[in-house]
Amino acid sequence: MKTGHLKHILLTTGLYILFSGLPLVALCQYISNGNAKQNTCNCYTLTQPALTQSGSVWNSIKINLNKPFDFKFNVYLGCADAAGADGMVFILQPVSTSLGASGGGMGFDGIVPSIGISLDTWQNPEFNDPAYDHISIQANGMVKHGADLAGPIRASATGDNIEDCAWHVFRISWDPATKWLRTYFDDVLRLEVQHDLIPNIFNNDPMVFWGFSAATGGSYNLQQFCTALNPQAQTNLASDATCFNNTPVTFGDQSVSFAPIQSWHWDFGDGSTSTLQNPPAHLYTKPGFYDVKLVIKGLDGCVSDTLKKPVALGSRPVAAFKAFDTCFGKSPRLSDLSTNSVGTINQWTWVLDGSIISTDQQPVFTNISEGQHQLKLVVKSIYNCTSDTALGSFKISPTPIVDLITHNGCINEPISFTGLQPGNATGTTQWNWNFGDGSTSDQQNPVHAFSSGGVMNVSLTASKNGCPSAALIKTVNITFVHVTATKDTIVLVNTPFRLGSSVVSNTPGLMSFSWLPATGLDNAYAAAPTAILQNDITYVVTASTMEGCVSRDTVNIKVFKGSAIYVPTGFSPNGDGVNDKLHPLYVGIKRLDFFRVYNRWGRVVFNTNNLASGWDGTLNGIDQQTGTFIWALRAEDIVGKIYEQRGTTTIVK
């Protein structure tokens, strides 16, 4: 690189000064304000995780916007998501190197003239902020969205949240020839605008300071940035791994840096090193896992963290197994004993009597004839290293023959099972039942009750001298019925209302119902009878299937002498199925004009005229924080009485 060109780069970035007759000298040319502080050579904290913080860091040397720039930074927005604030702004301005302020403006609010590219992590309604962490390009300290040069949109292309305890790459480029200002987040272009900044923003003055400003207010986050110094490397190996075969491995530098890189230091993990940007191909002498490391140093003297890139050179595995004799109808038990020193084995090829029969590590061989059998195994590692062939054998012996008798039944009722041995030639000595629900028996004729309904696969095997028969499987239909009565409710005295019941059953067909007591019912054998009551009562509903299986449920009815509306004073929308919604209890109400919920700022967060609707504690899909909310409603009961009520309720989490 020519000295003149290098001097231009260094002065543009504000990192170096070329003294007459002296070599280039790195200078600390960043000015910190407020709560900002320098952490390391190239990294700064803008705000601590504390209330009402403001911090800014400015490069003390102005850059010339007649020259292009392409700045790369690493930014950290903290760990608090919903409660985190407020974000940071990259700013171009000619005013001063001491600017910055706390609060939602993030230190950019009111700076004129200026360009700001904001990473806003707090949703301020007064600024028209969208409901996600967003990025925007704004001019002249205008933080209220509506007059943005570009945006706002999601800061990240992959999600709504960037307060995720992670560092992200934040890149900004300017091309004075085409007038394009672009910004990238995690290597994805997010916003761009074609705007002549020098005359339109900076009054024909191309010289501006650049820097970062960040702030917190009533909420906070740890907010940091670094000038990028990110070592990256690639190899000629797919996924940085292969089978060891004395082939050299090449390493290429892919590092990203804010300023030009001064030096590279490679450690290949086997005692060898290099200081070249792209070192010669490296020859490893044996298989193994090698932690290749790369450290880079910028021209500003800053040294990067160490990049660790694992490189795997797999060894050749050794195939081995043991096969055990078994009985006809059973798969022979196999024990894979294959080993490998470098690289997990992930492929198995089993050859039974000359034919490939399985690629599973623990194969199940079925329908194998009686007699002696030959078995072979070849294994392969994740690094494509293949073993020699391992040899073995096993024997299949004859088995008994059995049959079984059973029948369908109801849930939780005992069912009899019968084990049969056609003829006496096999001489069965042991019975093994599996009822398909985790229960077993060793009796020939067991009795079993099923605790769940459905189709059960009942299997039976028998053994002689340790040699089991093939499993005989028959299905048993277990009828399940579950009746659910109307929820407990409050009704008006002497006012007809309908009881209801719903039935879940795995057996289609007619269902019969009965209600006890029959007091007040028009039909005690209907699924949904009508009742007229004068006093409180508890009904028991019974549902019966054609198979004779029954289920019962109860419903408590409270008789109320007039209409009323009850609104809970609190609810807990935590998804546990209990008290998850704010839902008024309406007694004798025929029409709801409105039911509204307001937050403490008077904003309507829920509104409905549906008697069946309730508030789930969200606004536009976003959970509201714990606190007190105001409600108001207007409704009419069945005799024309108007209710206008107002009160408060609390979200409890």
Side-chain angles (χ1 to χ4, degrees):
M1 181 182 294
K2 294 182 179 179
T3 302
H5 182 52
L6 179 59
K7 176 182 178 182
H8 163 71
I9 294 175
L10 301 177
L11 290 177
T12 300
T13 60
L15 296 175
Y16 302 88
I17 293 180
L18 184 63
F19 289 91
S20 176
L22 296 175
L24 290 168
V25 179
L27 298 179
C28 179
Q29 304 219 356
Y30 291 91
I31 297 174
S32 301
N33 301 287
N35 300 108
K37 69 174 185 177
Q38 185 175 15
N39 301 330
T40 60
C41 181
N42 61 317
C43 294
Y44 293 81
T45 291
L46 293 170
T47 68
Q48 297 289 343
L51 300 176
T52 320
Q53 292 250 314
S54 65
S56 64
V57 175
W58 301 96
N59 192 286
S60 63
I61 299 178
K62 288 185 175 181
I63 60 173
N64 188 344
L65 293 181
N66 284 313
K67 304 293 184 181
F69 66 78
D70 190 353
F71 290 167
K72 301 178 183 69
F73 303 97
N74 297 327
V75 294
Y76 182 86
L77 283 303
C79 295
D81 180 12
D86 277 282
M88 65 177 65
V89 187
F90 173 85
I91 306 174
L92 299 173
Q93 52 84 17
V95 181
S96 170
T97 58
S98 61
L99 302 179
S102 63
M106 297 174 288
F108 175 62
D109 187 12
I111 299 179
V112 179
S114 66
I115 286 289
I117 301 178
S118 63
L119 295 172
D120 194 338
T121 59
W122 184 259
Q123 287 71 57
N124 294 288
E126 68 273 20
F127 294 159
N128 298 327
D129 286 346
Y132 44 76
D133 296 344
H134 51 280
I135 186 171
S136 59
I137 302 178
Q138 299 165 300
N140 294 324
M142 294 293 295
V143 297
K144 184 175 183 179
H145 299 300
D148 307 71
L149 296 181
I153 64 170
R154 286 177 174 81
S156 171
T158 60
D160 290 352
N161 177 40
I162 59 175
E163 300 161 289
D164 54 1
C165 290
W167 284 91
H168 299 274
V169 178
F170 185 34
R171 176 185 171 193
I172 301 157
S173 67
W174 162 248
D175 186 347
T178 61
K179 317 303 182 190
W180 279 105
L181 178 64
R182 294 183 170 93
T183 182
Y184 305 74
F185 194 85
D186 286 339
D187 298 322
V188 178
L189 177 64
R190 302 305 293 142
L191 291 174
E192 60 181 357
V193 62
Q194 192 173 33
H195 198 79
D196 198 347
L197 301 183
I198 297 174
N200 295 339
I201 302 297
F202 296 112
N203 302 317
N204 294 311
D205 181 5
M207 305 304 294
V208 296
F209 296 109
W210 68 265
F212 278 89
S213 177
T216 68
S219 296
Y220 52 79
N221 250 327
L222 175 64
Q223 302 179 124
Q224 300 174 311
F225 84 94
C226 303
T227 54
L229 191 61
N230 306 331
Q232 298 178 18
Q234 67 176 12
T235 71
N236 63 329
L237 307 179
S239 302
D240 300 320
T242 189
C243 185
F244 176 75
N245 58 2
N246 293 317
T247 299
V249 181
T250 60
F251 296 90
D253 175 53
Q254 299 289 312
S255 300
V256 176
S257 177
F258 178 80
I261 299 173
Q262 177 184 163
S263 64
W264 296 259
H265 181 79
W266 296 85
D267 182 337
F268 300 113
D270 62 349
S272 301
T273 61
S274 175
T275 58
L276 298 177
Q277 180 179 3
N278 295 297
H282 186 70
L283 182 63
Y284 289 92
T285 60
K286 61 181 180 180
F289 297 106
Y290 298 94
D291 285 331
V292 178
K293 301 175 183 178
L294 174 61
V295 177
I296 60 175
K297 183 178 182 180
L299 283 177
D300 55 1
C302 295
V303 178
S304 73
D305 292 335
T306 299
L307 169 71
K308 295 182 179 179
K309 175 179 279 296
V311 172
L313 302 179
S315 59
R316 189 179 183 190
V318 176
F321 68 93
K322 188 172 183 179
F324 298 86
D325 296 340
T326 189
C327 303
F328 180 75
K330 295 291 185 179
S331 174
R333 183 166 63 90
L334 302 175
S335 178
D336 176 30
L337 304 176
S338 304
T339 59
N340 195 23
S341 59
V342 180
T344 303
I345 296 172
N346 70 336
Q347 294 184 38
W348 296 262
T349 302
W350 298 89
V351 179
L352 179 63
D353 297 332
S355 298
I356 296 176
I357 196 169
S358 179
T359 57
D360 296 333
Q361 181 180 9
Q362 298 291 344
V364 177
F365 300 149
T366 59
N367 300 320
I368 303 176
S369 61
E370 298 175 5
Q372 196 75 20
H373 297 272
Q374 298 297 319
L375 189 61
K376 299 179 182 179
L377 172 63
V378 175
V379 297
K380 194 174 184 178
S381 76
I382 59 174
Y383 304 129
N384 294 317
C385 299
T386 304
S387 72
D388 291 332
T389 301
L391 303 176
S393 64
F394 59 89
K395 181 182 178 181
I396 301 294
S397 300
T399 60
I401 299 174
V402 295
D403 198 0
L404 67 88
I405 298 176
T406 187
H407 57 85
N408 299 329
C410 299
I411 190 173
N412 295 322
E413 293 186 4
I415 301 173
S416 297
F417 295 86
T418 303
L420 301 176
Q421 180 181 346
N424 297 314
T426 55
T428 300
T429 58
Q430 184 176 355
W431 300 87
N432 299 286
W433 292 85
N434 187 322
F435 298 107
D437 62 352
S439 299
T440 61
S441 175
D442 59 3
Q443 300 179 22
Q444 181 175 357
N445 302 309
V447 175
H448 180 67
F450 293 90
S451 60
S452 59
V455 178
M456 301 296 175
N457 293 318
V458 178
S459 67
L460 171 63
T461 61
S463 300
K464 178 184 179 181
N465 300 324
C467 196
S469 69
L472 178 63
I473 300 176
K474 290 188 178 181
T475 59
V476 177
N477 293 316
I478 305 301
T479 298
F480 164 80
V481 60
H482 180 76
V483 64
T484 302
T486 304
K487 292 183 178 180
D488 295 349
T489 187
I490 302 174
V491 301
L492 293 177
V493 64
N494 294 321
T495 301
F497 70 96
R498 183 176 292 275
L499 290 167
S501 62
S502 61
V503 177
V504 178
S505 178
N506 61 343
T507 302
L510 296 176
M511 192 78 62
S512 62
F513 296 88
S514 65
W515 295 79
L516 289 176
T519 304
L521 301 180
D522 65 340
N523 184 353
Y525 299 99
T530 298
I532 300 176
L533 298 175
Q534 288 79 40
N535 298 300
D536 298 350
I537 196 169
T538 297
Y539 287 111
V540 178
V541 60
T542 301
S544 303
T545 69
M546 295 179 64
E547 295 80 10
C549 301
V550 299
S551 174
R552 294 179 177 84
D553 194 18
T554 61
V555 56
N556 299 304
I557 308 298
K558 182 178 179 61
V559 177
F560 194 72
K561 309 305 180 181
S563 62
I565 300 175
Y566 302 94
V567 181
T569 58
F571 69 111
S572 56
N574 55 12
D576 64 355
V578 179
N579 201 24
D580 282 335
K581 286 189 176 183
L582 176 66
H583 193 292
L585 174 62
Y586 304 102
V587 178
I589 301 300
K590 72 176 182 179
R591 190 187 76 245
L592 176 65
D593 293 331
F594 64 84
F595 174 60
R596 299 185 184 123
V597 182
Y598 305 82
N599 63 19
R600 59 178 177 174
W601 297 283
R603 182 179 181 182
V604 176
V605 298
F606 178 74
N607 185 29
T608 186
N609 61 1
N610 187 341
L611 288 167
S613 296
W615 184 40
D616 63 1
T618 67
L619 174 60
N620 297 327
I622 299 175
D623 291 339
Q624 299 300 289
Q625 296 182 1
T626 298
T628 300
F629 294 78
I630 300 171
W631 59 263
L633 63 80
R634 175 185 171 88
E636 181 181 354
D637 72 3
I638 60 177
V639 297
K641 178 182 177 180
I642 301 299
Y643 283 83
E644 292 185 350
Q645 296 180 198
R646 174 183 297 269
T648 61
T649 189
T650 301
I651 289 180
V652 180
K653 294 184 177 179

